[in-house]
Amino acid sequence: GDLLDLVDLGDKRGAYVQALSRGMQQRLCLAHALVHDPHVLLLDEPASGLDPRARVELRELLRELRSLGKTIVISSHILPELEELCSSVAIIDHGRVLASGRVEDIEARFKLGAVVRCRVLGDAQAIEAAVRTFEAEEAVVTVERLPDATLELALRGDEDAAAAVLTRAIVAGHRIASFAPAASDLEELFLQITASEPVAGWRPDEQAVSESVGSDR
């Protein structure tokens, strides 16, 4: 009964499992896993197939379990949600752990750049002028034009370098409506670390490399 209340299913005690929504069934599975009060929970794609509301409910439940002292290990491809939930991550590709630790620590270790989307206000001429300004920046690797007066900038360096690029663009008179990462930090790290052509100076996390057993992924 306490576990059903914990996963907010107390009022469904007499219901058939098949009559529950997908999100409720996921929470019921968590209640099953908690029957023997385990110290560690291993969850494989716990948010798979859930609608947005059910994902929020599951996320809040996992936070509550963490506050109760549970260690939760999650395998998932929904990286932005992992970034919100997890205190540390491991990036795995083809059975090898390429990096592990806190997201900010991995960023600092690999010194990777970022992809930023910048929306410029003005006519076509103003946008072209902004493109030329960004292309002249040492920290800007490429500039790609997207719809709606948006530019996608591939940057090298850290947040300070990105801030400096934005500051100089504003000083140059460009009207910048938005300047933000094109993907979450964890998504960007995953894409760059698992790229087929490694970033200069990049190498796998030698302290966390492991081989998979019986699997190619």
Side-chain angles (χ1 to χ4, degrees), residues 7 9 20-30 46 48-51 53-55 57-58 61:
V7 299
L9 289 175
L20 301 178
S21 69
R22 180 69 183 272
M24 290 179 181
Q25 290 184 24
Q26 290 284 70
R27 299 205 304 272
L28 181 60
C29 286
L30 273 177
S48 176
L50 299 186
D51 61 43
R53 181 180 298 277
R55 286 186 178 183
E57 292 172 350
L58 178 65
L61 175 57

Side-chain angles (χ1 to χ4, degrees), residues 16 35 58 66 68 83 86 93 108 119 122 134 138 146 149 151 154 162 170 172 174 178 187-188 194 202:
Y16 286 102
V35 166
L58 178 65
R66 185 174 63 185
L68 294 175
E83 192 171 1
C86 298
D93 188 45
R119 193 163 71 87
F134 287 129
E138 183 179 352
L146 300 177
L151 304 176
I170 293 173
H174 302 296
S178 63
E187 282 180 326
E188 194 60 41
T194 59
W202 174 91

